Structures are given as C-alpha cells and as structure tokens.
Amino acid sequence: MRPLTDDEMRIFFEKLQLYIGQNITKLIDRTDEPYTFRLVKDRVYYISESQMKLATNIGRENLLSLGTFFGKFTHGGKFKLHITCLDYLSQYTKHKVWVRSGAEMSYLYGNHVTKAGLSRMSDSIPQ
C-alpha cells in the first residue's frame, strides 16, 4: 500500500474531474476524518487515515483490499472507474439523471437507456 505518484495522481484526478468537477476537494478535505487515496496492486482505494494506520500491521502479501475500491490502472496507464465508487461520486456529481425502474432493469441487462426511460434530469446538462 503506497501513495499515488504524481503521474498516477494526475491521471486519476483528471478522470474524477470529468464526473464531479471541482468537488474532488470535498472527497479529500472532509470534516469528520481525513481520507486519502492509496494504491495496492494497480488498484486505487479511498481510505481513512485511521484505517490506513491499522492496516500497517498486515503484510503486503495478505492484504487484499482496504477501504472503498475506486478503480484500477490498466497496463496502458489509463484509469478505469469501478462501480463501487458510485456512492461517493453520486454525492458530488455535476449532472444527474434519474431513470425509471423499468429502464433501470433494462440498463442492468446491457441495453441503452432510451428517452422514454428518463424520469428527470438536473438543470444545465449539456447536449
């Protein structure tokens, strides 16, 4: 478990900025407890500092995951977000779309969301 390098941090924050904009600072500068992003085997985790201190007692070979899994770096150096970070991203997104339950099930089965499946959208969504 190590902190992200400057290049990894730049790539990771560029990807997050597409979805939450300048609200990235709200993920790091929290009022309840300081949180940080850590890298374990090309996977980025969102961890509180108290959990991170407790994890130092576990060996690297035995540590599988810790905190919330945000995504992973590919072999080409790109970053891909994972579905487990949606709880945090949904709080700070710039644009939101609400989908009807029938369209949600259709989307989960791999189909596209049609215009009829949209329930409502937040203001100022670009075309």
Side-chain angles (χ1 to χ4, degrees):
M1 179 172 55
R2 65 170 176 84
L4 278 70
T5 62
D6 290 338
D7 287 338
E8 292 168 343
M9 189 75 75
R10 181 186 51 80
I11 293 169
F12 175 65
F13 282 151
E14 283 175 358
K15 180 65 93 166
L16 278 183
Q17 192 170 13
L18 291 174
Y19 298 101
I20 62 177
Q22 297 301 322
N23 293 332
I24 295 172
T25 57
K26 292 181 181 177
L27 281 175
I28 299 171
D29 300 331
R30 293 177 52 159
T31 57
D32 56 346
E33 187 177 357
Y35 274 71
T36 184
F37 293 101
R38 292 293 170 164
L39 190 78
V40 179
K41 299 178 184 172
D42 292 333
R43 297 173 186 268
V44 177
Y45 292 93
Y46 185 57
I47 308 167
S48 68
E49 289 191 6
S50 63
Q51 285 180 343
M52 190 173 53
K53 289 177 185 175
L54 292 173
T56 57
N57 297 330
I58 301 171
R60 286 186 178 182
E61 308 84 35
N62 298 330
L63 184 65
L64 296 177
S65 70
L66 180 68
T68 303
F69 177 51
F70 255 63
K72 65 182 251 179
F73 285 98
T74 63
H75 293 291
K78 296 180 181 179
F79 184 77
K80 292 191 175 187
L81 286 172
H82 198 262
I83 196 167
T84 54
C85 70
L86 282 180
D87 289 336
Y88 292 99
L89 293 183
S90 65
Q91 296 173 11
Y92 303 116
T93 54
K94 298 186 290 188
H95 311 292
K96 292 185 181 181
V97 176
W98 286 264
V99 180
R100 292 192 175 113
S101 62
E104 180 182 357
M105 290 304 297
S106 176
Y107 178 75
L108 290 175
Y109 287 121
N111 299 321
H112 295 291
V113 176
T114 61
K115 191 182 246 185
L118 297 178
S119 177
R120 75 177 203 204
M121 298 185 330
S122 63
D123 297 333
S124 71
I125 291 181
Q127 294 290 337

